[in-house]
Amino acid sequence: MRILIKNIKQLVQVEEGEPVFWKRGKEAMQSLPFIEDAFLLIENGLIADFGTMKTFIIRKESSQNFDKETDATGCFVLPCWCDSHTHLVFANGREDEFVDRIRGLSYEEIARRGGGILNSAKKVNETSENELYDLALQRIEEAKNSGTGAMEMKSGYGLTPEGELKMLRVIKKLKENSEMTIKATFLGAHTYPLEYRNNHAAYIRLIKEEMLPQIAKEGLADYVDIFCEKGFFSVAESEKILEAALHYKMRIKLHTNQLHRIGGIQMGVKWGAVSVDHLENIATEDIYCLASGHTIATLLPSAAFFIGTGYPPARGLIDAGVPVALATDYNPGSSPGSNMQFVISLACIKMKMLPEEALNAATINGAAAMEVQHQVGSIARGKIANVIITKPVSSLAFLPYSFSTNLISRVILNGKC
Ligand code: NIG
Ligand code: FE
């Protein structure tokens, strides 16, 4: 199958020469290489070639037939979004809690009275694997249509060995059957189930002795994640789980500094986490800590928007040289949406990220936060052909500027439209 996209106004995030691992530092994050009046050639699901139309016209292929030919006059072509933090597998919406928050309850108060994550966990444990799979598949379709080509998905709404394994098996099936590039994360340490509220040690034992060994045996998770937060998992409790996860060779991602500063960033950097996510509450010393390490800061502005916390200090992080990624945090409690274009708009409007920085954070750095930057996240020869063709737009900044308009004309995943 050979697809030609021609007359592209701008082919964005092109990568030639040395593969890009991630972008960190203001200069790198503001650089978004592009080719004007370009072509893109896709062969058997991979990016085969690209360049200017001028160079294409003189090649012998220009007179050949392609299985599909698209004229992208006036349109931008860019790599699909890489959404490196989602909780896409869940059973029920939580609009009742949304209304409670409108009436004045806080996210933490709702969690303390047994709602929040526990509300979703109850429903997941009552829902069959097949139903969860069907629901997740619908959500993947929606995410694909908004331009997402790679996604990380977490468990964490099971909180029992059966429930957590069920969620991870759903993710495994999605990996096998979807065009989306998917990474799976075990988040059994999302919150303490009610029956373990006064016996944290017993739940941690359950994670270490029952959940992790079975997950490792079935190869169900690429990462382990922990909600390291006041009222959830302390640093000392988290470290017990991390130790066990590393024994099974799982890499680390963390939810931390969403509500309070309890040392999660320092722990993440010390344990070599791939990413620390949220970071709504951080201080200058946390930024220095991240700048000195190799951990990506994944920012989730739609969660801050939805539950009304402050936004993470993206400018301070970028200016200090921290690699920053953007993701949706798609989940029923704090961010019920999978639209990366909205996340990019929020990043620009609320966190003062420049459009180029936001696009890097949503593509190559998102890919790096899932360790798939050698397969997706940029337009490079040999990478998976996951590309977005926009509608005709005046400039790239028009994408975050038009925060509620669908500007996508077509999404190609694995070389398939
Ligand atoms: O990333 N903060 C922890 N976990 C999710 C929300 C979970 C929920 O409310 O269901 C998050 O925001
Ligand atoms: Fe999350």
Side-chain angles (χ1 to χ4, degrees), residues 85-87 90 94 97 107 111 115-121 154 156-157 187 190-191 225-229 232 255-256 258-259 277-278 280 300 303-304 307 328-335:
H85 181 140
T86 84
H87 307 249
F90 57 88
R94 303 224 301 267
E97 294 177 6
Y107 183 73
I117 297 165
L118 292 175
N119 176 346
S120 289
K154 301 174 196 293
Y157 291 133
L187 178 59
H190 202 181
T191 191
D225 192 345
I226 299 172
F227 190 17
C228 181
E229 181 60 67
F232 294 82
H255 281 72
T256 191
Q258 181 181 16
L259 309 169
D277 304 19
H278 272 292
E280 286 85 342
L300 313 165
I307 63 169
T328 61
D329 195 14
Y330 185 21
N331 77 77
S334 67
S335 185

Side-chain angles (χ1 to χ4, degrees), residues 89-91 124 127-136 166 170:
V89 180
F90 57 88
V124 160
T127 307
S128 73
E129 193 172 314
N130 284 343
E131 273 176 274
L132 283 175
Y133 177 77
D134 290 343
L135 287 166
K166 180 164 66 179
V170 167

Side-chain angles (χ1 to χ4, degrees), residues 132-151:
L132 283 175
Y133 177 77
D134 290 343
L135 287 166
L137 214 51
Q138 284 169 27
R139 293 181 195 126
I140 288 190
E141 261 335 283
E142 198 185 325
K144 271 197 226 168
N145 289 336
S146 65
T148 300
M151 271 182 144

Side-chain angles (χ1 to χ4, degrees), residues 229-249:
E229 181 60 67
K230 198 165 145 191
F232 294 82
F233 290 78
S234 69
V235 169
E237 290 168 345
S238 301
E239 288 194 317
K240 291 192 183 120
I241 298 166
L242 294 185
E243 205 177 9
L246 287 192
H247 170 78
Y248 293 109
K249 308 223 164 10

